[in-house]
Amino acid sequence: SDYFQEPPRHPSLIVNSKEPFNAEPSRSALISSYVTPVDLFYKRNHGPIPVVDDIQRYRVSIRGLVEKPLDLSLDDIKELPKHVIAATLQCAGNRRNQMSKVKTVRGVGWDVSAVGNGIWGGARLSDVLELVGISKLTSTTTLGGRHVEFVSVDACKDENGGPYKASIPLIQATTCNAEVILVYEMNGEPLNRDHGYPLRVIVPGVIGARSVKWLDSINIIAEECQGFFMQKDYKVFPPTVNWENINWSTRRPQMDFPVQSVICSLEDINTVDSGKISVHGYAVTGGGRGIERVDVSFNGGKTWTEASRYQKTGKPYVADDPSSDKWAWVLFTAEADVSENIEIVVKAVDIAANVQPENVEFIWNLRGILNNSWHRVLVQVKR
Ligand code: MTE
Ligand code: MO
């Protein structure tokens, strides 16, 4: 097996696949803190965890359409100004399990915890690109359709044993506001092997698949990356497309994730005593848009109440407030009295007034990605 050098993992993780290692925390563990502890953070891999043991010889090479190609050591990267952001990473396959109940889909069977909120420290990609002569003030017109491609050191089956790779538009990389980071620190500790040691990309607000771990090289290319995970995966097709009639080239690679919310203090089916029940969960949206509202229903969606929202404890969350973490999830809580069996539902609204779809049937897609339908749980009262 190629899996003889895997790092140790927390025993409480729910393992969806051992080789490659794919695991998520329990719902209750997920929302027990605003910042997700590293050992409980979901782990999503397409192959074995690579071993980078000679850090003195480790280099990130920057090549392609640049005036002066460059190789950077980890120390070179650490010498650039350190930028730290709170950002939620979410796998496009989060909540796939529920989608596969409608009709079979392909992919790892995730519950609702293929998501986590980390504090990421590293160098801004825009600062790194300046070292090869790409200015932060370049306009879209000058950059054309150029992309920045991130290539990993790992090897995956889907790339025929080649490295995992992905790209983002160059304009997103050079815009400081987009806050794309080459990360060497997670939650204030050196990045560990599972999450991309020694260096990974974090593209906040975008599906996890573009945040390449174990970075080997950065290429400036004329158009988007042609790798498997850009062209033959992580695209959203309408429900009419199946494995017989699929034409991958008709759709673009998914980037931003949509508005999402999930109840984490309850399982799908619960038995409780009659009386007060309080629900907790997370809401998050793509593109740094922020969460405007979280609505909770204690009667299957007939009537709704607005949940209270917070990030750091003790302070109500306000979308767009400069002191809010714009790339991070919002935790919510709402309370009600229950005396009969009910369905509790949550849906969120982001600041662009994007809403979640009511039913998973209408967003079903063969890869089972981006399930952001209203999240529903059943509560039965003990008699
Ligand atoms: N980078 C490499 N090199 N190999 C991978 O398999 N998986 C991607 C992304 N980066 C992956 C990768 C996917 S699909 C997701 S959701 C995130 O990493 C998961 O990051 P995490 O394991 O740190 O939570
Ligand atoms: Mo993912």
Side-chain angles (χ1 to χ4, degrees), residues 1 6 27 51 156 175 195 237 246 266 288 300 313 318 331 352 354:
S1 147
E6 297 288 285
R27 294 183 184 189
V51 183
C156 4
T175 311
H195 295 288
F237 286 89
I246 190 165
L266 293 163
T313 38
V318 182
L331 301 180
N354 293 310

Side-chain angles (χ1 to χ4, degrees), residues 20-23 41-48 50 89-93 110 114-116 120 151-156 163-165 186 191-192 194-196 200-202 207-215 229 234:
F21 190 76
N22 288 302
F41 208 97
Y42 81 98
K43 297 167 196 348
R44 197 333 177 195
N45 300 299
H46 290 82
L89 192 66
Q90 181 176 212
C91 181
W110 296 107
V115 59
W120 311 98
V151 184
S152 163
V153 308
D154 65 345
C156 4
Y164 185 99
K165 52 190 179 190
M186 180 178 181
L191 190 66
N192 75 12
D194 260 332
H195 295 288
R200 79 171 302 169
V201 185
I202 285 288
I207 62 165
R210 313 304 175 212
S211 289
V212 174
K213 304 195 270 189
W214 316 293
L215 191 61
F229 299 99
Y234 298 114

